[in-house]
Amino acid sequence: MTLFSDLKLDPKVLKAINEAGYTTPTPIQAQAIPYALEGRDVLGIAQTGTGKTASFTLPLITRLGRGRARARMPRSLVLAPTRELAAQVAENFDTYAKHTRLTKALLIGGVAFGEQDKLIDRGVDVLIATPGRLLDHFERGKLLLTGVEVMVVDEADRMLDMGFIPDIERIFGLTPFTRQTFFYSATMAPEIERVTNTFLSNPARIEVARQATASETITQELIELDASRRDVAAKRKREALRAIIAQEGEKIENAVIFCNRKVDVDILAKALTQHKLDAAPIHGDLDQSVRTRTLEKFRAGELKLLIASDVAARGLDVPSVSHVFNFDLPSHPEDYVHRIGRTGRAGRSGKAISLMVPADQKYLEQIEKLLEKTLPRGTAPEPAPVAKPKRAQPARKAAEAAPAQEPEQEPTAAKEPAKSPAPSNTSRKAPANARRGSGNPRNQPRREGQDAVVGMGDHVPDFLMREFRVA
Ligand code: AMP
């Protein structure tokens, strides 16, 4: 067995690893670090949870130990597809480099340019960035990439999904061809293969096992729901999910619930919260500060259900969760593997439950083909009971009490109203501002168990109440 002390890492790095409590390198670390320290390019085919971040950060710090940064010319560059991932790499760097004097800057959207500009002006050893933001800085003339000795591309498959490959190619072109490159991807799509063939020089190719095949500790289950109409399907899925959550009860310590679209992440988070469940959304359109706060709460065990899109969740450094739910089956089968890999880590048991409707059949086929097995089928428990208001109430009160019920209309996402799923018949008839979720109870569609509002209820305009005399 390899030990960290066998790996010729800088003693300052070894000290930090020791303090972080790591005893032995993970397989990707044991294999990649010796090549990286020899100066070879590394192509790592590994997904998150394998320890891949340390597999490039540790040799990077060791290599940069000698030499000094020059103004505006970072000595190394780490590219990550999302802000969260970039921020996580930065956190990792801080942990492992804490006994060195190396400096870093983080260039991500949602963080003001000014501070980062100052750091870069002074000179940084490690620049961690998302591709778009990096190019923004470059185009503003704030940055030179000709001093880059090491370049890291993390989660290239996700970069491909997000359309960043042209940016990555451009950035490669701006760095010296003598640089050392570490390139990580969970899968090797042809487009990624092409990029690695073009920009990596005789790389050491290191592949670590897929989690789905490696982890026997995940119990998987597929619940088939019989709902073909799209508007009905979403409601059925929400009911089924709530029933499953109720059935699993205390067994759920914490869970990530995946949706395919950002808008559905918002809708689901809202619906679950309305049912008094401890849930919050995370996706790329949310403010950076909100995302960070949500993630911190989830990590600290102060939030039970994290509703996430793939992009936001990919590579998030959250502890192993007890449950993963696929509210939607992913359209890329690899994402299924990524998603369920959030549970059952480090030998602990975990449960992954997926919901599907007939329209998802093609996705299921792809997933089962990739896994080379049929997912065990389960049945949806009876829908969780819905709390109804105790007695008929006046319009305003009933509207306030309504959140305890399944809303008749889709709760609408704040940022992407145009992309909302087709509203139900009821909401299509409702006034426009009711569809937008206006807080005015007069504009809400009527709900089950609510007294019918006759005429204008409490809200008769003043001018109609004014006295008048008949001549
Ligand atoms: P990553 O695959 O880089 O996202 O890392 C997954 C998690 O494993 C992170 O929380 C790391 O802090 C942790 N980790 C990385 N290397 C080791 C190691 N050698 N021993 C124990 N934990 C590790």
Coordinates of all heavy atoms in Angstrom, one line a residue, residues 358-387:
P358 N -44.1 7.5 -18.0 CA -43.9 6.8 -19.3 C -42.9 7.5 -20.3 O -42.1 6.9 -21.0 CB -45.3 6.7 -19.9 CG -46.1 6.6 -18.6 CD -45.5 7.5 -17.6
A359 N -43.0 8.9 -20.2 CA -42.1 9.6 -21.2 C -40.6 9.4 -20.9 O -39.8 9.7 -21.8 CB -42.5 11.1 -21.1
D360 N -40.3 8.9 -19.7 CA -38.8 8.7 -19.4 C -38.3 7.4 -19.9 O -37.1 7.1 -19.6 CB -38.6 8.8 -17.9 CG -39.0 10.2 -17.3 OD1 -38.9 11.2 -18.1 OD2 -39.4 10.2 -16.1
Q361 N -39.1 6.6 -20.5 CA -38.7 5.2 -20.9 C -37.3 5.2 -21.6 O -36.5 4.4 -21.2 CB -39.8 4.6 -21.8 CG -39.5 3.2 -22.2 CD -39.4 2.2 -20.9 OE1 -40.1 2.4 -20.0 NE2 -38.6 1.2 -21.0
K362 N -37.1 6.1 -22.5 CA -35.8 6.1 -23.2 C -34.6 6.4 -22.3 O -33.6 5.8 -22.5 CB -35.9 7.1 -24.4 CG -36.2 8.5 -24.0 CD -36.3 9.4 -25.3 CE -36.6 10.9 -24.9 NZ -37.8 11.1 -24.2
Y363 N -34.8 7.3 -21.3 CA -33.8 7.5 -20.4 C -33.5 6.3 -19.6 O -32.3 6.0 -19.3 CB -34.1 8.7 -19.5 CG -34.4 10.0 -20.2 CD1 -35.3 10.9 -19.7 CD2 -33.7 10.3 -21.3 CE1 -35.6 12.1 -20.3 CE2 -34.0 11.5 -22.0 CZ -34.9 12.4 -21.5 OH -35.2 13.6 -22.1
L364 N -34.5 5.6 -19.1 CA -34.3 4.4 -18.3 C -33.5 3.4 -19.1 O -32.6 2.8 -18.5 CB -35.7 3.9 -17.9 CG -35.6 2.6 -17.1 CD1 -35.0 2.8 -15.7 CD2 -37.0 1.9 -16.9
E365 N -33.9 3.2 -20.4 CA -33.2 2.2 -21.2 C -31.7 2.5 -21.2 O -30.8 1.6 -21.1 CB -33.8 2.2 -22.6 CG -35.1 1.4 -22.6 CD -35.9 1.6 -23.9 OE1 -35.3 2.1 -24.9 OE2 -37.1 1.3 -23.9
Q366 N -31.4 3.8 -21.4 CA -29.9 4.2 -21.5 C -29.2 3.9 -20.1 O -28.1 3.4 -20.1 CB -29.8 5.7 -21.8 CG -30.2 6.1 -23.2 CD -30.3 7.6 -23.3 OE1 -29.8 8.3 -22.4 NE2 -30.8 8.1 -24.4
I367 N -29.9 4.2 -19.1 CA -29.3 4.0 -17.7 C -29.1 2.6 -17.5 O -28.0 2.1 -17.1 CB -30.2 4.6 -16.6 CG1 -30.2 6.1 -16.7 CG2 -29.8 4.2 -15.2 CD1 -31.3 6.8 -16.0
E368 N -30.1 1.7 -17.8 CA -29.9 0.3 -17.5 C -28.9 -0.3 -18.4 O -28.2 -1.2 -18.0 CB -31.3 -0.4 -17.6 CG -32.3 0.1 -16.5 CD -33.6 -0.7 -16.5 OE1 -34.0 -1.2 -17.5 OE2 -34.1 -0.9 -15.4
K369 N -28.7 0.3 -19.6 CA -27.7 -0.2 -20.5 C -26.3 0.1 -19.9 O -25.4 -0.8 -19.9 CB -27.8 0.4 -21.9 CG -27.0 -0.2 -22.9 CD -27.5 0.3 -24.3 CE -26.4 0.2 -25.3 NZ -26.4 1.3 -26.3
L370 N -26.1 1.3 -19.4 CA -24.9 1.7 -18.9 C -24.5 0.9 -17.6 O -23.4 0.5 -17.4 CB -24.9 3.2 -18.5 CG -23.6 3.8 -17.9 CD1 -22.5 3.9 -18.9 CD2 -23.9 5.2 -17.3
L371 N -25.5 0.7 -16.8 CA -25.3 -0.1 -15.5 C -25.2 -1.6 -15.8 O -24.8 -2.3 -14.9 CB -26.5 0.2 -14.5 CG -26.7 1.6 -14.0 CD1 -27.9 1.6 -13.1 CD2 -25.5 2.1 -13.3
E372 N -25.6 -2.0 -16.9 CA -25.7 -3.4 -17.3 C -26.5 -4.2 -16.3 O -26.2 -5.3 -15.8 CB -24.3 -4.0 -17.4 CG -23.5 -3.4 -18.5 CD -22.1 -3.9 -18.6 OE1 -21.6 -4.5 -17.6 OE2 -21.4 -3.6 -19.6
K373 N -27.6 -3.5 -15.8 CA -28.5 -4.2 -15.0 C -29.9 -3.5 -15.0 O -30.0 -2.4 -15.3 CB -28.0 -4.4 -13.5 CG -28.0 -3.1 -12.7 CD -27.6 -3.5 -11.3 CE -28.0 -2.4 -10.3 NZ -27.8 -2.8 -9.0
T374 N -30.9 -4.3 -14.6 CA -32.3 -3.7 -14.5 C -32.4 -3.1 -13.1 O -32.1 -3.8 -12.1 CB -33.3 -4.8 -14.7 OG1 -32.9 -5.5 -15.9 CG2 -34.7 -4.3 -14.9
L375 N -32.9 -1.9 -13.0 CA -33.1 -1.3 -11.7 C -34.3 -2.0 -11.0 O -35.3 -2.2 -11.6 CB -33.5 0.2 -11.9 CG -32.4 1.1 -12.3 CD1 -32.9 2.5 -12.4 CD2 -31.2 1.0 -11.4
P376 N -34.1 -2.4 -9.8 CA -35.2 -3.0 -9.0 C -36.4 -2.0 -9.0 O -36.3 -0.8 -8.7 CB -34.7 -3.2 -7.6 CG -33.2 -3.0 -7.7 CD -32.9 -2.2 -8.9
R377 N -37.6 -2.6 -9.3 CA -38.8 -1.8 -9.2 C -39.4 -1.7 -7.8 O -39.4 -2.7 -7.1 CB -39.9 -2.3 -10.2 CG -39.9 -1.8 -11.6 CD -38.6 -1.7 -12.3 NE -38.7 -1.3 -13.7 CZ -37.7 -1.3 -14.5 NH1 -36.4 -1.6 -14.1 NH2 -37.8 -1.0 -15.8
G378 N -39.9 -0.6 -7.5 CA -40.6 -0.5 -6.2 C -42.0 0.1 -6.5 O -42.3 0.4 -7.6
T379 N -42.8 0.2 -5.5 CA -44.1 0.8 -5.7 C -44.2 2.1 -4.8 O -43.7 2.2 -3.8 CB -45.3 -0.1 -5.2 OG1 -44.9 -0.7 -4.0 CG2 -45.5 -1.2 -6.2
A380 N -45.0 3.0 -5.4 CA -45.2 4.3 -4.6 C -46.1 4.0 -3.5 O -47.1 3.4 -3.6 CB -45.8 5.3 -5.6
P381 N -45.7 4.5 -2.3 CA -46.6 4.4 -1.2 C -47.9 5.2 -1.4 O -47.9 6.1 -2.3 CB -45.8 4.9 0.0 CG -44.6 5.5 -0.5 CD -44.5 5.2 -2.0
E382 N -48.9 5.0 -0.6 CA -50.1 5.9 -0.7 C -49.7 7.3 -0.5 O -48.8 7.6 0.3 CB -51.1 5.5 0.5 CG -51.8 4.2 0.2 CD -52.7 4.2 -1.0 OE1 -53.5 5.1 -1.1 OE2 -52.5 3.4 -1.9
P383 N -50.4 8.2 -1.2 CA -50.0 9.6 -1.0 C -50.1 10.1 0.4 O -51.0 9.6 1.2 CB -51.1 10.4 -1.8 CG -51.6 9.4 -2.8 CD -51.4 8.0 -2.2
A384 N -49.2 10.9 0.8 CA -49.2 11.4 2.2 C -50.5 12.2 2.4 O -50.9 12.9 1.5 CB -48.0 12.3 2.4
P385 N -51.1 12.1 3.6 CA -52.3 12.9 3.9 C -52.0 14.3 3.7 O -51.0 14.8 4.1 CB -52.7 12.5 5.3 CG -51.5 11.9 5.9 CD -50.6 11.4 4.8
V386 N -53.1 15.0 3.2 CA -52.9 16.5 3.0 C -53.7 17.2 4.1 O -54.9 16.9 4.3 CB -53.5 16.8 1.6 CG1 -53.6 18.4 1.5 CG2 -52.6 16.3 0.5
A387 N -53.0 18.1 4.8 CA -53.7 18.8 5.9 C -54.7 19.8 5.2 O -54.3 20.6 4.3 CB -52.7 19.6 6.7

